[in-house]
Amino acid sequence: SIRQNLDPDGVTSSAEINEALDRVGFQSANLEESVPENRGDAQKLSLVRGVVKKSRVICIDEGAAALEKETND
């Protein structure tokens, strides 16, 4: 699920996960949905994971390579 992907240890609240999803521009109504197979969405989830973990540094290689046109505009 999206929740398991973003918080495998189960220590982050749903509110914190939803806030991180919003900050990155990823909209999901249900954290129990399966992880999207769309490469652009998977890339956004990687960014959300960094936000959820409160990472100080996030390295991005070709950050816009898999984003869909709507996100890129």
Side-chain angles (χ1 to χ4, degrees), residues 8-38:
D9 298 326
V11 296
T12 308
S13 72
S14 294
E16 289 175 300
I17 292 173
N18 283 321
E19 181 182 337
L21 288 166
D22 288 342
R23 287 179 64 187
V24 173
F26 188 93
Q27 312 272 321
S28 176
N30 184 355
L31 295 177
E32 303 310 321
E33 291 176 2
S34 60
V35 175
E37 293 184 21
N38 175 308

